[in-house]
Amino acid sequence: MAKGLRNGKRGLLIFGLAVAAIGLGILSASLWHDWTLPSRITKSLPDPPDPTRITADLGEQLEQARREAAEGPDRLGGVVHLARLYHANGILPQAADCWSFLAAEQPAEGRWVYALADIAATTGNTTETRRLLLATVEQAPEYAPAWLKLGDLEFKTGHPEKARRAYEQRLSLEPEDPYAAMGLARIAIQAGDTKVARDTLEQILEKHDEFSAAHN
């Protein structure tokens, strides 16, 4: 019996050491990931645009954002700032590089892949837009904007049932959203279900009397 107790204690000790080793390995990997972040950012930042093609004010804003990303206290926040500046000003290749880096660094954050989907939509790449929107809702199912954009895309490309599911998911997250409800009304109109369409439109106007699309 004493031998059994010794073996049991030895087993517990080995188990404890194994758990500690795993924990130490995870901590080390996390510390290494954080320590190498500045280097990864420096290597991943896109080259700035031709200064002759942008305003001096935008050039200064971009340079400031690059400094935030390269050496600021919140480097990832600096990359986000830079990506938004590029995106908002139509400098899409550089914006895509920044969003792709952020998506790799923070794979559970749906906003970065959604931004890539928006760029794909801007360039007319429907297949890539759908792929990225599906990736967004898979990674971040609570990110409501992606469901609305996915619903619109599926409706416009002739997939009403997929569009319906996307709009319904959007409404489960944003119950008062008139755009998703309008999407369901359009699906009903397309299917010839005038009663459902009328009821849906009336419900929209009860809550959003100035929503012109529903009046039309």
Side-chain angles (χ1 to χ4, degrees), residues 189-209:
I189 291 169
Q190 188 181 74
D193 195 337
T194 54
K195 183 180 185 307
V196 170
R198 184 181 295 108
D199 290 346
T200 303
L201 291 170
E202 288 175 351
Q203 290 169 13
I204 293 172
L205 291 173
E206 284 178 6
K207 300 174 183 178
H208 308 278
D209 183 58

Side-chain angles (χ1 to χ4, degrees), residues 33-71:
H33 186 269
D34 292 342
W35 187 69
T36 58
L37 177 62
S39 175
R40 295 198 305 278
I41 289 177
T42 300
K43 292 177 181 178
S44 300
L45 287 180
D47 292 333
D50 184 344
T52 64
R53 294 179 174 272
I54 59 175
T55 65
D57 180 60
L58 177 57
E60 291 177 4
Q61 292 181 57
L62 290 171
E63 182 57 32
Q64 175 60 33
R66 285 181 69 87
R67 285 196 297 269
E68 292 173 10
E71 56 194 47

Side-chain angles (χ1 to χ4, degrees), residues 1-7:
M1 183 175 179
K3 183 178 179 180
L5 288 173
R6 286 196 299 272
N7 288 339

Side-chain angles (χ1 to χ4, degrees), residues 9-186:
K9 290 180 179 179
R10 187 180 298 114
L12 288 173
L13 178 59
I14 292 171
F15 176 76
L17 290 172
V19 170
I22 292 171
L24 182 60
I26 293 172
L27 178 61
S28 297
S30 177
L31 290 173
W32 174 257
H33 186 269
D34 292 342
W35 187 69
T36 58
L37 177 62
S39 175
R40 295 198 305 278
I41 289 177
T42 300
K43 292 177 181 178
S44 300
L45 287 180
D47 292 333
D50 184 344
T52 64
R53 294 179 174 272
I54 59 175
T55 65
D57 180 60
L58 177 57
E60 291 177 4
Q61 292 181 57
L62 290 171
E63 182 57 32
Q64 175 60 33
R66 285 181 69 87
R67 285 196 297 269
E68 292 173 10
E71 56 194 47
D74 180 11
R75 290 182 170 87
L76 286 179
V79 179
V80 173
H81 184 193
L82 185 63
R84 286 174 174 160
L85 283 172
Y86 280 137
H87 202 148
N89 289 280
I91 309 172
L92 300 184
Q94 285 90 336
D97 286 344
C98 292
W99 294 130
S100 296
F101 172 78
L102 289 163
E105 289 291 316
Q106 299 177 323
E109 175 55 74
R111 290 177 297 165
W112 316 146
V113 183
Y114 178 76
L116 289 169
D118 185 69
I119 291 175
T122 300
T123 59
N125 191 335
T126 301
T127 300
E128 183 68 358
T129 302
R130 179 181 285 107
R131 184 188 73 79
L132 290 166
L133 287 173
L134 289 171
T136 302
V137 297
E138 180 178 351
Q139 293 171 211
E142 302 301 313
Y143 190 60
W147 288 109
L148 179 61
K149 201 172 188 73
L150 180 60
D152 290 344
L153 176 66
E154 298 293 13
F155 181 76
K156 291 174 183 176
T157 55
H159 301 96
E161 286 308 311
K162 291 181 179 180
R164 184 197 308 280
R165 290 195 291 272
Y167 287 136
E168 288 175 347
Q169 185 62 34
R170 162 77 176 194
L171 286 169
S172 73
L173 298 168
E174 300 284 347
E176 301 297 314
D177 177 46
Y179 295 96
M182 189 68 202
L184 292 176
R186 288 195 176 103

